[in-house]
Amino acid sequence: MAHTMVLAVSPHHLEQLDALVTSHRDAEEQWMRDQSARTDLPLLRGSARRDAQARIRAARQKHRDTGRHRPTRALALAPALRVELDARGLLRDWDPIPAGAPTSGQTLGGRGPHTGAGLTARLVVALPDELWVPLTRGVHWTNQPHLQALQTWTDRWGPGPAAGHSTAPAEALAERARSAAHITTTGEIIRTALEHTLHPGP
């Protein structure tokens, strides 16, 4: 099952990603044409044609699974996103997110898909379960202690500087900033994966 996500990215990065996807799509389409010609697919009929088509589709899927062909945004991002999730310790089994839990942008530390300097483009990507589940569940559960600290702070001092005023002393504001700095968002993780996709290391 695919899960559609929307996040803010820079227009330049979105253009680069779509150019990468287009190049992979073109390469895959050319590969498909080559396979069709190599197997004389247009001349085949009946079960012979169906068997040849099945073999080509299976080979195409293998190329997608190994990253040789990445003709969608999700496939283009998948290798780097998997590495990023693993590096953050999120690529493991997590308990389900409780019903009614706040989503990104609704938490005290979340920022949603519409903010960030220069992040004026919108990346829409459909992630498969094997990436979406550890991403969303991992972010939820690792954020919990820091969100609880922010809630405790808010219960004592009010909404804080985001409301335009605060009665909290400087040391309390610094404490709040430290808790907020530990909040991770799904957007941050995907943007990091996007950066690594476009500019892979050595």
Side-chain angles (χ1 to χ4, degrees), residues 73-111:
R73 288 173 172 177
L75 288 171
L77 289 169
L81 181 54
R82 191 172 290 107
V83 168
E84 186 64 21
L85 290 171
D86 190 36
R88 292 172 181 260
L90 302 181
L91 201 59
R92 61 182 181 85
D93 289 335
W94 296 95
D95 290 335
I97 299 173
T103 59
S104 178
Q106 296 178 327
T107 66
L108 291 172
R111 291 178 286 281

Side-chain angles (χ1 to χ4, degrees), residues 14-134:
L14 185 58
E15 290 173 3
Q16 286 183 304
L17 176 63
D18 285 343
L20 176 65
V21 168
T22 297
S23 69
H24 275 264
R25 185 180 300 130
D26 291 345
E28 183 179 78
E29 290 174 354
Q30 182 59 56
W31 178 87
M32 293 286 287
R33 288 192 293 269
D34 293 343
Q35 292 302 303
S36 177
R38 185 172 293 115
T39 59
D40 291 325
L41 187 63
L43 303 178
L44 299 178
R45 295 293 181 270
S47 62
R49 181 180 178 86
R50 290 192 295 273
D51 290 346
Q53 288 174 323
R55 287 193 297 270
I56 293 173
R57 286 194 298 268
R60 179 183 64 183
Q61 188 59 50
K62 183 177 180 180
H63 289 167
R64 290 183 175 187
D65 291 343
T66 60
R68 176 177 172 179
H69 293 154
R70 294 181 284 161
T72 68
R73 288 173 172 177
L75 288 171
L77 289 169
L81 181 54
R82 191 172 290 107
V83 168
E84 186 64 21
L85 290 171
D86 190 36
R88 292 172 181 260
L90 302 181
L91 201 59
R92 61 182 181 85
D93 289 335
W94 296 95
D95 290 335
I97 299 173
T103 59
S104 178
Q106 296 178 327
T107 66
L108 291 172
R111 291 178 286 281
H114 305 296
T115 58
L119 305 181
T120 57
R122 296 293 170 262
L123 169 60
V124 180
V125 60
L127 296 179
D129 278 338
E130 58 264 27
L131 294 175
W132 184 83
V133 169

Side-chain angles (χ1 to χ4, degrees), residues 9-19 118 120-121 194 198-199:
V9 297
S10 76
H12 182 56
H13 280 175
L14 185 58
E15 290 173 3
Q16 286 183 304
L17 176 63
D18 285 343
T120 57
L194 174 59
L198 299 176
H199 307 104

Side-chain angles (χ1 to χ4, degrees), residues 90 94-98 100-104 107-109 136-152 179 182-184:
L90 302 181
W94 296 95
D95 290 335
I97 299 173
T103 59
S104 178
T107 66
L108 291 172
T136 54
R137 292 184 183 182
V139 164
H140 173 82
W141 290 114
T142 56
N143 279 344
Q144 282 306 292
H146 312 300
L147 290 174
Q148 290 169 1
L150 286 174
Q151 187 61 62
T152 299
S179 293
H182 288 291
I183 299 297
T184 301

